[in-house]
Amino acid sequence: DQESERRQKEFQERTDLFIKALDVDELLAQLLVTEGFSEIEEVAMVEIGEITNISGFDDDTAQEIQARANDYLEKENLMLEEKRKDLGVKDDILDIEELNMKMIIKLGENDVKSLEDFAYCSTDDLIGWNEYIDGEKKHEEGILEAFDLGEDFANELIMKARKMIGIIVEEEVLDDSVEEEVLDDSKEEN
């Protein structure tokens, strides 16, 4: 029952998003959600044929919906860019292409306002962590936890930032990995 309720709620949230963002009626929005679309970006970036394959969508309708999706994203990006500037987030953080503007805003709201600030983040800062306090497990939310980065990807982003600002030099990373291999090999021999 809870799973069914969660799915219905998610379906309705996505439907409402498409109604608002694309200015379509509920039936068209539901068709998009039923066909697996969950975000405006997907509608904007997908091949037009994937939209025309949906029952009730001809070429003109598909092109109009895709144009509305692009317009919506353009307006949203302008608003996010303005918010980024208002927060005082520096341009250098934009050099990490894997971070979208919503992530950058979230970082700025949490005082991570430059590439250097980002480079000094820990993985836990980004994705969250669990700790035990008085025998109870407590979860501390990470700055970008809502974006489901995953530990490996968060580590990659932090390492990329550290390389970009010169904290880590590529040769050091290679030397460390060779050193680890040698240590691993020597453990296996013993």
Side-chain angles (χ1 to χ4, degrees), residues 38-129:
S38 59
E39 302 198 10
I40 303 301
E41 290 85 355
E42 294 170 339
V43 177
M45 303 301 175
V46 75
E47 300 252 345
I48 201 78
E50 288 195 41
I51 299 173
T52 57
N53 285 338
I54 301 171
S55 180
F57 285 80
D58 59 17
D59 268 352
D60 291 340
T61 305
Q63 288 175 0
E64 178 62 28
I65 287 189
Q66 202 165 51
R68 290 179 188 185
N70 283 310
D71 288 346
Y72 175 83
L73 291 173
E74 196 173 304
K75 288 175 188 170
E76 183 180 57
N77 283 336
L78 289 172
M79 287 181 0
L80 291 171
E81 178 63 21
E82 189 66 35
K83 187 168 186 176
R84 178 187 72 83
K85 289 177 181 175
D86 290 346
L87 287 169
V89 177
K90 296 181 180 174
D91 291 344
D92 64 355
I93 203 163
L94 299 172
D95 292 339
I96 303 176
E97 297 114 18
E98 296 87 350
L99 294 176
N100 66 40
M101 196 57 77
K102 289 178 184 176
M103 292 174 178
I104 291 170
I105 296 299
K106 192 72 170 165
L107 289 166
E109 290 170 344
N110 287 276
D111 265 352
V112 179
K113 298 185 178 196
S114 69
L115 187 59
E116 185 173 359
D117 292 344
F118 187 80
Y120 283 105
C121 285
S122 71
T123 304
D124 288 348
D125 291 335
L126 298 183
I127 65 170
W129 69 93

Side-chain angles (χ1 to χ4, degrees):
D1 286 346
Q2 288 177 338
E3 180 62 19
S4 175
E5 189 175 306
R6 183 192 66 78
R7 285 184 183 170
Q8 285 178 334
K9 182 180 177 192
E10 194 175 274
F11 184 87
Q12 190 58 51
E13 286 172 353
R14 290 177 179 166
T15 299
D16 291 344
L17 170 68
F18 290 140
I19 290 171
K20 179 183 173 214
L22 303 177
D23 191 26
V24 295
D25 64 23
E26 188 171 14
L27 179 61
L28 283 179
Q30 288 175 344
L31 284 170
L32 288 168
V33 175
T34 300
E35 289 296 319
F37 291 97
S38 59
E39 302 198 10
I40 303 301
E41 290 85 355
E42 294 170 339
V43 177
M45 303 301 175
V46 75
E47 300 252 345
I48 201 78
E50 288 195 41
I51 299 173
T52 57
N53 285 338
I54 301 171
S55 180
F57 285 80
D58 59 17
D59 268 352
D60 291 340
T61 305
Q63 288 175 0
E64 178 62 28
I65 287 189
Q66 202 165 51
R68 290 179 188 185
N70 283 310
D71 288 346
Y72 175 83
L73 291 173
E74 196 173 304
K75 288 175 188 170
E76 183 180 57
N77 283 336
L78 289 172
M79 287 181 0
L80 291 171
E81 178 63 21
E82 189 66 35
K83 187 168 186 176
R84 178 187 72 83
K85 289 177 181 175
D86 290 346
L87 287 169
V89 177
K90 296 181 180 174
D91 291 344
D92 64 355
I93 203 163
L94 299 172
D95 292 339
I96 303 176
E97 297 114 18
E98 296 87 350
L99 294 176
N100 66 40
M101 196 57 77
K102 289 178 184 176
M103 292 174 178
I104 291 170
I105 296 299
K106 192 72 170 165
L107 289 166
E109 290 170 344
N110 287 276
D111 265 352
V112 179
K113 298 185 178 196
S114 69
L115 187 59
E116 185 173 359
D117 292 344
F118 187 80
Y120 283 105
C121 285
S122 71
T123 304
D124 288 348
D125 291 335
L126 298 183
I127 65 170
W129 69 93
N130 294 316
E131 61 182 314
Y132 288 89
I133 301 174
D134 298 326
E136 283 189 45
K137 184 177 176 181
K138 184 175 184 216
H139 181 73
E140 293 292 328
E141 191 170 321
I143 299 169
L144 300 179
E145 187 168 336
F147 298 95
D148 292 327
L149 296 182
E151 185 175 355
D152 290 341
F153 188 58
N155 284 334
E156 287 175 29
L157 293 178
I158 293 167
M159 289 300 287
K160 181 177 184 174
R162 289 175 180 175
K163 289 174 189 173
M164 291 169 83
I165 66 168
I167 296 175
I168 294 177
V169 181
E170 191 70 37
E171 292 84 39
E172 291 175 358
V173 175
L174 293 174
D175 290 345
D176 288 346
S177 64
V178 170
E179 228 175 86
E180 286 176 23
E181 283 181 35
V182 170
L183 289 174
D184 288 343
D185 290 344
S186 67
K187 286 180 187 175
E188 287 175 11
E189 289 173 7
N190 294 331

